[in-house]
Amino acid sequence: MNYTLHQLQIFLKITQLKSITKASEALFLSQPAVSIQLKKFQDQFSIPLTEVVGRQLYVTDFGQEIAEAAEKILNEVNAINYKTLSFKGQVAGRLKISVVSTGKYVMPYFLSDFTNKNSGVDLIMDVTNKQSVVKSLENNEVDFSLVSVIPEQMNLERVELMANKLYLVGGTKDKFDRKVSKKKIFETYPMLYREDGSATRSAMESFIASHNISTPKKMELTSNEALKQAVIAGLGYSIMPLIGIKNELKNGDLKIIPFKGLPITTTWNLVWQKSKKLSPTALAYLDFINSEKERIIEENFDWYNQY
């Protein structure tokens, strides 16, 4: 056996993505380069690691076992590198964070200075839906999660970052009948919702129910970006987080419609399990957040108070 760490890395990425093309994109390599390294790696084993059925690549049972071993080896190599940097007095290690989809407009600002200052930190940020974020916390797969609604069933620690404000929003090119009362907007025009399980949808549904508003026309979209474009195009109205529509408001593509009881205000929270033993890297990040969050908010979200 004479395989390299580079080959292990490539093979592991192929098994994770089930695609040579996607692996090459993730590793910033050409597809031929990845294919060549996979062949060289396969040539060292008499048992197939992968197989192609139709156009789909499948990992064999043997290949899956090799992939698991490769992941362990690569993790150990990374640990050696982190320890070397730590002995030099640098913060080094992996920082894994899961973020609800709208949180992508928030979390990067609370990470950039920390990662720029600590080059030995490898950041893994998964932007996904609320259910997946909660699952990653339950399975102890991440150091921290960013949520606007705290999962009640879990025993969590938290740091409050900033307010999350949700407004009734419409496109500026719509043909809204000015004679229709604002409350009738919900009954007259389609209301656009996020998918089930979304914190934004839950907040919207709670608001509508608490105000006894009827919404006979409904549409559902599975991402904040899709929802935003649908509102801009005039498909309907929605209650949306302010944090995600800054540019659209500035450019005049969207407008906030004043409505009694709005905005809905929640809080963006960085959370982690109370029972979790945080790594030195995670503890260093927590110290950074506690000492720098006010500065970060002031420097990056001063526009927020205009609404």
Side-chain angles (χ1 to χ4, degrees):
M1 295 290 178
N2 192 31
Y3 44 77
T4 65
L5 291 174
H6 185 53
Q7 289 171 349
L8 290 176
Q9 183 185 35
I10 288 174
F11 179 66
L12 179 60
K13 187 60 68 176
I14 289 171
T15 63
Q16 291 171 338
L17 299 177
K18 304 296 190 295
S19 165
I20 291 175
T21 300
K22 290 180 180 179
S24 65
E25 292 172 353
L27 295 168
F28 301 100
L29 297 170
S30 68
Q31 187 172 332
V34 170
S35 297
I36 290 170
Q37 291 303 319
L38 176 61
K39 184 180 184 304
K40 288 182 177 180
F41 190 61
Q42 172 65 79
D43 287 346
Q44 299 180 72
F45 301 93
S46 58
I47 304 173
L49 299 169
T50 62
E51 57 185 359
V52 177
V53 179
R55 294 187 176 182
Q56 180 62 48
L57 182 144
Y58 295 90
V59 183
T60 64
D61 291 342
F62 177 68
Q64 190 58 50
E65 290 189 19
I66 297 301
E68 291 172 3
E71 185 172 19
K72 291 178 182 178
I73 292 168
L74 292 169
N75 284 340
E76 288 299 320
V77 170
N78 286 331
I80 291 171
N81 294 335
Y82 296 147
K83 287 177 182 178
T84 301
L85 291 170
S86 295
F87 269 93
K88 292 181 179 179
Q90 300 179 32
V91 176
R94 283 186 178 177
L95 182 65
K96 299 181 72 174
I97 300 176
S98 59
V99 178
V100 293
S101 56
T102 309
K104 65 178 174 286
Y105 302 109
V106 177
M107 199 67 231
Y109 294 98
F110 290 90
L111 286 164
S112 59
D113 287 349
F114 180 76
T115 56
N116 289 337
K117 181 180 178 181
N118 301 289
S119 58
V121 173
D122 289 333
L123 172 66
I124 300 173
M125 188 174 79
D126 182 28
V127 180
T128 184
N129 57 46
K130 180 187 173 184
Q131 292 176 337
S132 296
V133 167
V134 172
K135 185 177 179 181
S136 69
L137 275 171
E138 290 175 336
N139 294 340
N140 196 30
E141 296 170 347
V142 295
D143 298 304
F144 303 105
S145 293
L146 182 70
V147 295
S148 59
V149 178
I150 305 291
E152 294 180 359
Q153 71 274 25
M154 301 183 67
N155 193 13
L156 301 173
E157 297 279 7
R158 67 170 175 166
V159 172
E160 294 185 358
L161 295 186
M162 59 181 289
N164 179 37
K165 297 188 283 189
L166 296 91
Y167 288 89
L168 178 62
V169 176
T172 54
K173 297 178 182 178
D174 62 56
K175 297 178 181 179
F176 172 58
D177 185 350
R178 300 300 168 185
K179 295 179 182 179
V180 175
S181 69
K182 289 178 180 177
K183 188 169 183 178
K184 291 289 185 180
I185 289 176
F186 291 89
E187 301 174 359
T188 308
Y189 298 95
M191 295 306 298
L192 309 186
Y193 290 77
R194 286 288 305 278
E195 74 282 4
D196 279 333
S198 162
T200 298
R201 178 175 181 138
S202 297
M204 184 172 174
E205 288 179 332
S206 296
F207 175 80
I208 289 171
S210 66
H211 286 73
N212 297 314
I213 298 171
S214 174
T215 57
K217 301 177 182 180
K218 297 181 181 180
M219 296 183 189
E220 180 179 300
L221 295 96
T222 57
S223 77
N224 196 65
E225 286 301 316
L227 185 69
K228 184 162 54 177
Q229 293 305 318
V231 174
I232 291 173
L235 279 178
Y237 293 78
S238 187
I239 293 178
M240 301 182 68
L242 175 63
I243 196 70
I245 58 174
K246 173 186 177 182
N247 291 333
E248 289 73 20
L249 290 171
K250 183 178 180 181
N251 296 336
D253 295 322
L254 291 176
K255 62 176 179 284
I256 290 174
I257 300 168
F259 195 92
K260 186 178 180 180
L262 293 176
I264 302 166
T265 303
T266 59
T267 303
W268 287 111
N269 297 280
L270 192 69
V271 300
W272 65 99
Q273 289 210 54
K274 275 189 176 181
S275 59
K276 184 175 181 61
K277 184 178 180 181
L278 295 176
S279 69
T281 302
L283 288 171
Y285 180 64
L286 198 55
D287 288 342
F288 168 82
I289 284 297
N290 283 322
S291 63
E292 299 293 332
K293 67 174 184 177
E294 297 300 335
R295 174 188 62 80
I296 293 169
I297 293 169
E298 183 178 345
E299 291 180 358
N300 298 286
F301 299 100
D302 59 327
W303 63 273
Y304 212 61
N305 294 323
Q306 297 174 20
Y307 299 92

